[in-house]
Amino acid sequence: MTGLATVGAIVGVLLVALVVLVRKPADARSVLRWSALAITVLVAAALTPFTVDDSGAAASYLLGVPVVAAILPVLAQRVGRLTVVADLLAALVITGWGLLLGLGIGVAFLPAVILLIASAMGIWAPRPSTT
């Protein structure tokens, strides 16, 4: 089940990247943040039955930490402050949690980190004029 969720997350990240590169939306960072949140929530939902069977009540925090971390950049965007910091913090928390959980369910959360890092880097953001 973890392998299927991981492959699904990778495919989701690739589709989002393709859409952002081809369509070039004006708010690409927002698209990346919301997509990272959606992929994280879908991975958590897909892994819930497996994790509950395996870990019982601990499944709430095993799956909840990455979801809460993915919510932070979206909330920071709504407030309009510290969005890059929130992107990097969320990417760091999800990566750390994924590595902490090792070869178990944590690997499935790692593809969404790519979108958060891309959002923090602002790859598709227009460059400010220097003239």
Side-chain angles (χ1 to χ4, degrees):
M1 182 57 110
T2 304
L4 184 61
T6 305
V7 170
I10 291 170
V11 169
V13 167
L14 291 174
L15 287 174
V16 169
L18 182 66
V19 166
V20 168
L21 286 172
V22 171
R23 301 285 266 183
K24 297 183 187 344
D27 58 345
R29 287 180 160 182
S30 176
V31 171
L32 293 172
R33 288 182 188 113
W34 279 101
S35 299
L37 175 59
I39 289 170
T40 304
V41 168
L42 289 173
V43 165
L47 293 175
T48 296
F50 169 74
T51 308
V52 169
D53 287 344
D54 188 48
S55 302
S60 62
Y61 70 84
L62 291 174
L63 299 172
V65 168
V67 172
V68 169
I71 291 172
L72 291 177
V74 173
L75 291 177
Q77 176 183 336
R78 300 287 261 171
V79 173
R81 304 195 66 174
L82 301 172
T83 54
V84 173
V85 173
D87 288 338
L88 293 175
L89 181 63
L92 182 66
V93 168
I94 293 172
T95 300
W97 197 249
L99 294 176
L100 181 67
L101 297 180
L103 296 176
I105 62 172
V107 175
F109 291 106
L110 295 178
V113 171
I114 296 168
L115 297 177
L116 292 171
I117 291 172
S119 175
M121 291 174 51
I123 293 174
W124 297 284
R127 295 178 184 229
S129 176
T130 58
T131 58

